[in-house]
């Protein structure tokens, strides 16, 4: 398969590393914002190949990790009503709420189904007219358009027994909040799939206002190394800007159609990020016009309090202030089989990637 | 309306007898079974015997490349074969759901009979129970197998003779079964022509034993995949295991789907693969024998036993980096994005 051969070519990777070693003259701190990048960087063993003056920090871009614990508690509450069928992407299944997880309540007989696309929910709604299908809408700009498209499709098909419990979030607001807290950060490895929707333009405030270099990267080893090289060159020239490395998927303006349906179906709200706290304008709630597809309007949800587990430093890890192996719970109390903090849960979480791949 | 399994088929009465005669005796047909005794009476073999049992609850029961019947025979035969034993006899226990189509049952029984016959193994005793509708998922099958083992092969299942420098071999592409099963669960989302590798390995392994190959360990990487077996082994025997990423045999379809779904082929189930560990100098001989067999055409060495990082499985990536291969928590879940 030429795709793998091209972007994973060991000889080209070696060449790229040689150039990086030559050009990386001073200590540089870079943050990969996206969980997919964290996963890929660890999977290909890149940190062990990079020169020691390049430090990679893992950011807040794993949607499962930043989802508030009480969201899981509320989803479990919804699942406990036999009238509902809860549909979710697979990696949310094992995320611990404050007392249980969707996986555990599924074992008790509650209806929890894994879907690969939210459109599957509409088929399920047709097949189960006496049940209410709830889709757990989670993820950034990457998955939110599919949720929006499903709501529009449900409206078109006049499906009445379907709603979305939205915890969708947007990336730029979080990156802005982090830029303020990370004065030593030289550059962002900007998310690839999110940017394919939003376009590169949305990052321009980062170099302009915060002096942070930005390069949007793909997910293959050569993508990531080329991105790192581009960031090094920006830092060396002291001229931060936004560049696209992942040109085969990302443009300046992004996917207009996806942006339009996002704007049509969702509205920005202040949202709580696990480990990071409340970030203004960072959540996507369903527009009033589509409230018949908003679980919040359709079904009763119990009130909740926000709390974080004791001893967990996920907040600092998501901000790039500390690394997973600096946490007292890492590998002892907190493991992928028994995750305490958010970053250990999904395989895109920084702690999970460190646990799984770092020998 | 199609004929279905009724509670009466498990009552011990006439319907039970009909089921036994028309399905099991007719298709599993052999002199030991045909005696229709409560216990099969078997000749005492020379040397020691191996005994193993396995339950089969696969969902869906029909999948590309096989079905629950074929799987139930292959699975137990393979557990014996990878222990270094020659599989001889199987028992079969059915738990049938009331309402199961008799035509479906016939298909699974035929599939068991054909698989056992081509593997040279006889099904010599069995049992059938029927449970009420919704108390099981169509049918569950248990098979128990007896094989004979020579004293010089007894160490194979424990791996106690494994030493540093030994080669780790596999007989072909990994992850086909896991991905084929996954694709049937999401037919509209995942479209692939992949087939399960479900097959009996006793002939492939028998060839090695017949040619007196030195084997230090064998196991079939079923649930938990190659990563699961290697982690079990490294933990139990405190071995350092090195895997080479660029030597792992993975079909492009499987690696492509893994990329999309967020899976790792090392953790996907196989049903026709054997991981074999042998002295380094024996590896070429084994690979040459395997490559002449249809189930070993793509056999290759994927790693070796190391003196370093005892108790851990470490993969050397194509770029010279290293990463840990840790044990799987539970079934892989498709990721969000």
């Amino acid at each position: 398969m030429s795709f793998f051969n091209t972007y994973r070519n060991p000889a080209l990777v070696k060449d790229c590393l040689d150039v990086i070693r030559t050009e990386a003259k001073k200590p540089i701190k870079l943050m990969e914002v996206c969980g997919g990048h964290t996963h890929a960087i660890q999977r290909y063993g890149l940190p062990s190949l990079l020169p020691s003056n390049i430090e990679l920090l893992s950011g807040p871009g794993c949607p499962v990790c930043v989802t508030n614990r009480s969201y899981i508690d509320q989803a479990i509450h919804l699942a406990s009503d036999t009238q509902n069928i809860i549909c979710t992407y697979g990696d949310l299944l094992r995320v611990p709420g404050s007392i249980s997880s969707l996986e555990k309540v599924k074992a008790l007989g509650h209806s929890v189904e894994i879907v690969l696309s939210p459109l599957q929910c509409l088929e399920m709604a047709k097949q189960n007219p006496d049940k209410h299908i709830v889709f757990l809408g989670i993820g950034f700009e990457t998955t939110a358009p599919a949720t929006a498209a499903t709501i529009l499709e449900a409206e078109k098909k006049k499906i009445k027994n379907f709603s979305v419990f939205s915890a969708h979030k947007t990336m730029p607001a979080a990156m802005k909040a982090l830029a303020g807290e990370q004065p030593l950060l030289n550059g962002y490895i900007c998310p690839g799939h999110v940017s394919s929707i939003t376009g590169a333009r949305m990052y321009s405030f980062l170099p302009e206002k915060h002096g942070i270099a930005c390069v949007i990267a793909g997910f293959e080893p050569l993508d990531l190394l080329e991105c790192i090289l581009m960031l090094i060159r920006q830092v060396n020239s002291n001229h931060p800007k936004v560049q696209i490395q992942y040109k085969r998927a990302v443009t300046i303006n992004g996917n207009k159609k996806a942006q339009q349906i996002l704007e049509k179906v969702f509205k920005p709200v202040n949202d709580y990020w696990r480990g990071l706290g409340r970030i203004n304008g960072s959540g996507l709630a369903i527009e009033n016009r589509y409230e018949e597809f908003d679980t919040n309007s359709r079904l009763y949800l119990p009130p909740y309090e926000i709390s974080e587990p004791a001893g967990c430093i996920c907040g600092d890890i998501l901000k790039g202030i500390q690394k997973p192996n600096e946490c007292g719970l890492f590998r002892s109390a907190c493991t992928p089989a028994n995750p305490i903090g958010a970053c250990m849960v999904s395989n895109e979480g920084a702690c999970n990637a460190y646990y799984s791949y770092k020998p | 309306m199609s004929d279905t399994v009724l509670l009466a088929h498990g009552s011990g009465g006439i319907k039970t007898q009909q089921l036994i005669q028309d399905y099991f005796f007719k298709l599993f047909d052999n002199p030991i079974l045909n005696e229709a005794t409560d216990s099969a009476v078997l000749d005492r073999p020379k040397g020691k015997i191996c005994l193993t049992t396995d339950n089969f609850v696969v969902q869906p029961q029909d999948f590309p490349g096989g079905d629950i019947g074929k799987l139930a025979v292959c699975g137990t035969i393979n557990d014996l074969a990878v222990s270094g034993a020659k599989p001889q006899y199987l028992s079969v226990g059915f738990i049938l759901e009331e309402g199961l189509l008799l035509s479906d049952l016939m298909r699974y029984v035929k599939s068991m009979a054909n698989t056992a016959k081509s593997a040279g193994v006889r099904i010599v005793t069995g049992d059938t129970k029927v449970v009420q509708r919704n108390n099981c998922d169509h049918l569950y099958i248990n098979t128990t197998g007896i094989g004979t083992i020579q004293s010089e092969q007894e160490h194979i299942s424990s791996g106690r003779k494994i030493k540093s420098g030994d080669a780790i071999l596999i007989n072909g592409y990994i992850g086909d079964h896991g991905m084929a099963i996954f694709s049937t669960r999401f037919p509209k989302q995942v479209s692939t022509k992949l087939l399960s590798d479900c097959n009996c390995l006793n002939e492939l392994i028998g060839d090695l034993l017949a040619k007196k190959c030195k084997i230090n360990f064998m196991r079939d990487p079923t649930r938990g995949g190659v990563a699961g077996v290697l982690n079990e082994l490294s933990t139990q025997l405190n071995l350092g295991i090195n895997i080479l990423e660029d030597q792992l045999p993975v079909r492009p379809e499987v690696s492509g789907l893994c990329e999309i779904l967020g899976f790792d082929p090392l953790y996907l189930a196989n049903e026709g693969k054997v991981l074999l560990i042998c002295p380094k100098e024996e590896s070429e001989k084994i690979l040459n024998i395997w490559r002449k067999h249809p189930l070993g055409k793509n056999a290759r060495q994927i790693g070796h036993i190391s003196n370093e990082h005892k108790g851990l499985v470490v993969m050397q990536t194509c770029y010279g980096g290293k990463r840990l291969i840790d044990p799987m928590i539970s079934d892989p879940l498709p990721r969000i994005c």
Side-chain angles (χ1 to χ4, degrees):
Chain A
M1 208 165 160
S2 65
F3 178 80
F4 289 160
N5 298 344
T6 312
Y7 294 100
R8 295 181 186 177
N9 182 318
L12 291 176
V13 165
K14 194 181 161 293
D15 290 350
C16 199
L17 279 165
D18 286 344
V19 182
I20 288 175
R21 280 189 205 105
T22 319
E23 297 198 19
K25 295 187 186 87
K26 53 184 177 184
I28 292 179
K29 242 184 195 185
L30 306 175
M31 176 183 274
E32 78 274 0
V33 182
C34 164
H37 282 151
T38 303
H39 187 80
I41 285 167
Q42 297 300 338
R43 176 179 165 191
Y44 300 117
L46 299 188
S48 66
L49 301 171
L50 287 169
S52 57
N53 55 351
I54 296 186
E55 192 180 352
L56 296 179
L57 307 168
S58 304
C62 159
V64 169
C65 300
V66 295
T67 298
N68 181 1
R69 263 205 302 186
S70 60
Y71 178 81
I72 302 294
D73 294 341
Q74 291 189 313
I76 289 170
H77 166 81
L78 293 169
S80 68
D81 185 339
T82 53
Q83 276 307 300
N84 299 334
I85 298 175
I86 308 302
C87 294
T88 176
Y89 292 127
D91 32 6
L92 211 54
L93 207 64
R94 291 191 196 120
V95 181
S98 38
I99 43 170
S100 191
S101 68
L102 289 165
E103 184 180 43
K104 287 179 185 161
V105 300
K106 182 173 164 45
L108 296 175
H110 300 319
S111 288
V112 180
E113 300 292 335
I114 292 180
V115 291
L116 298 184
S117 154
L119 287 166
Q120 283 173 262
C121 300
L122 302 188
E123 280 170 46
M124 227 177 273
K126 270 193 230 159
Q127 286 159 7
N128 300 279
D130 54 337
K131 301 269 185 184
H132 186 85
I133 314 298
V134 176
F135 176 65
L136 302 182
I138 177 172
F140 303 114
E141 289 92 336
T142 332
T143 54
T147 306
T150 305
I151 288 177
L152 295 176
E153 189 70 10
E155 185 192 38
K156 198 168 131 193
K157 292 190 170 152
K158 300 189 167 52
I159 291 172
K160 301 292 175 198
N161 57 331
F162 163 74
S163 67
V164 172
F165 185 30
S166 175
H168 283 298
K169 291 178 170 49
T170 51
M171 214 63 238
M175 288 169 77
K176 189 173 173 182
L178 279 174
E181 294 205 32
Q182 255 293 357
L184 298 174
L185 195 65
N186 301 104
Y188 272 130
I189 297 173
C190 295
H193 296 143
V194 163
S195 308
S196 70
I197 304 293
T198 60
R201 201 184 290 280
M202 71 157 180
Y203 303 108
S204 53
F205 71 93
L206 288 164
E208 285 163 16
K209 290 196 181 155
H210 301 278
I212 297 179
C214 286
V215 176
I216 298 162
F219 295 83
E220 299 299 326
L222 266 177
D223 287 325
L224 286 158
L225 291 175
E226 189 185 12
C227 164
I228 290 168
L229 182 60
M230 290 163 84
L231 286 166
I232 291 170
R233 286 178 177 165
Q234 283 194 35
V235 174
N236 284 348
S237 67
N238 207 7
H239 185 59
K241 57 189 167 189
V242 179
Q243 287 180 297
I244 305 171
Q245 181 281 330
Y246 196 25
K247 284 189 177 144
R248 59 191 189 278
V250 179
T251 59
I252 304 272
N253 294 318
N255 182 332
K256 284 281 172 204
K257 194 168 180 189
Q259 290 168 19
Q260 278 160 9
I261 63 170
L262 275 182
E263 205 162 305
K264 191 169 177 189
V265 174
F266 291 111
K267 59 185 174 191
V269 288
N270 301 340
D271 201 0
Y272 182 87
W273 294 51
R274 197 169 178 180
L276 294 180
R278 192 165 292 281
I279 301 176
N280 288 342
S282 67
L284 290 176
I286 294 168
E287 273 286 359
N288 298 349
R289 200 188 139 190
Y290 297 101
E291 68 175 10
E292 64 171 313
F293 301 109
D294 185 350
T295 306
N296 282 295
S297 316
R298 291 285 298 269
L299 304 173
Y300 170 75
L301 289 163
Y304 61 87
E305 274 180 37
I306 286 166
S307 65
E308 295 288 349
C312 169
I313 62 163
C314 279
D316 281 353
I317 289 168
L318 293 170
K319 290 174 196 161
I321 295 168
Q322 297 203 69
K323 290 195 167 177
N325 44 13
E326 289 163 3
C327 175
L329 306 179
F330 183 72
R331 265 192 214 281
S332 51
C334 184
T335 63
N338 180 30
I340 292 174
C343 307
M344 189 59 91
V345 173
S346 159
N347 72 0
E348 292 189 359
C351 296
N352 187 302
Y354 266 64
Y355 183 97
S356 301
Y357 292 138
K358 257 189 140 42
Chain B
M1 206 175 134
S2 320
D3 283 340
T4 62
V5 170
L6 305 173
L7 285 174
H9 284 114
S11 68
I14 290 174
K15 285 252 180 223
T16 308
Q17 287 312 313
Q18 280 173 352
L19 191 70
I20 291 173
Q21 287 296 336
D22 298 349
Y23 286 68
F24 307 136
F25 279 15
K26 193 169 166 191
L27 288 156
F28 297 152
D29 182 44
N30 63 68
I32 303 173
L33 178 73
N34 294 347
E35 287 292 327
T37 45
D38 260 0
S39 307
V41 180
L42 310 173
D43 287 331
R44 186 202 297 217
K46 276 187 204 152
K48 293 187 180 177
I49 63 166
C50 277
L51 175 69
T52 188
T53 191
D54 212 337
N55 298 313
F56 298 86
V57 298
V58 65
Q59 202 277 327
Q61 288 77 25
D62 293 272
F63 50 84
D67 60 36
I68 190 170
K70 183 180 181 187
L71 190 65
V73 172
C74 292
T76 294
I77 286 180
N78 291 348
D79 283 348
L80 291 169
V82 298
S83 308
K86 181 176 190 296
Q88 307 266 27
Y89 306 108
L90 289 182
S91 77
V92 52
F94 288 101
I95 294 174
L96 308 178
E97 184 187 11
E98 178 189 22
L100 172 72
L101 289 178
L102 281 169
S103 55
D104 281 348
L105 178 63
M106 177 57 95
R107 202 153 33 82
Y108 302 137
V109 172
K110 269 187 188 160
S111 166
M112 293 184 86
N114 292 338
T115 310
K117 193 176 170 195
S118 61
V121 173
R122 285 179 286 181
I123 297 172
V124 290
T125 186
D127 179 58
T128 307
K129 296 282 187 294
V130 180
V131 296
Q132 290 188 22
R133 205 172 169 86
N134 298 327
N135 282 8
C136 93
D137 184 7
H138 294 82
L139 79 164
Y140 301 144
I141 303 176
N142 167 278
T143 52
T144 295
I146 290 178
T148 48
I149 186 163
Q150 305 301 315
S151 57
E152 59 267 30
Q153 324 293 3
E154 275 175 39
H155 64 279
I156 287 178
S157 52
S158 74
R160 62 176 180 263
K161 287 194 179 174
I162 296 175
K163 55 191 185 312
S164 174
D166 278 3
I168 305 171
L169 317 181
I170 194 151
N171 61 313
Y173 290 112
I174 61 171
D176 292 2
H177 178 77
M179 197 51 90
I181 292 279
F182 187 81
S183 68
T184 58
R185 291 185 189 160
F186 293 93
K188 285 190 184 166
Q189 285 73 32
V190 181
S191 147
T192 165
K193 288 180 181 151
L194 265 179
L195 299 180
S196 160
D197 58 349
C198 181
N199 263 302
C200 291
L201 294 165
N202 53 331
E203 197 180 82
L204 184 82
I205 292 169
D207 286 353
L208 303 183
L209 302 181
K211 290 185 177 137
K212 307 267 178 229
C213 295
K214 289 196 190 87
I215 300 169
N216 287 344
F217 172 79
M218 283 191 286
R219 195 162 294 167
D220 48 343
T222 53
R223 281 172 308 166
V226 170
V229 169
L230 294 179
N231 269 288
E232 251 175 66
L233 199 62
S234 70
T235 310
Q236 280 167 11
L237 301 176
N238 196 31
L239 295 170
I241 295 184
N242 261 2
I243 296 296
L244 301 169
E245 186 175 30
D246 57 3
Q247 291 304 309
L248 285 177
V250 185
R251 286 183 204 280
E253 299 96 301
V254 172
S255 56
L257 283 167
C258 279
E259 291 292 326
I260 293 167
L261 296 164
F263 292 168
D264 185 334
L266 280 171
Y267 296 88
L268 293 178
N270 307 277
E271 288 295 344
K273 292 295 165 311
V274 48
L275 267 173
L276 182 150
I277 299 179
C278 65
K280 192 177 161 195
E281 58 278 10
E282 195 75 358
S283 60
E284 270 315 301
K285 178 181 171 188
I286 292 176
L287 289 173
N288 285 334
I289 296 171
W290 267 1
R291 285 174 184 149
K292 287 178 193 135
H293 192 281
L295 298 181
K297 272 189 302 196
N298 299 300
R300 65 173 86 162
Q301 179 172 351
I302 59 167
H304 62 270
I305 305 296
S306 158
N307 255 335
E308 295 165 12
H309 53 78
K310 292 231 162 107
L312 296 177
V313 183
V314 172
M315 176 190 271
Q316 191 174 329
T317 69
C318 311
Y319 320 107
K322 282 186 176 171
R323 72 166 165 105
L324 191 69
I325 305 293
D326 65 338
M328 190 168 82
I329 312 298
S330 57
D331 280 342
L333 294 173
R335 67 168 174 221
I336 291 178
C337 57

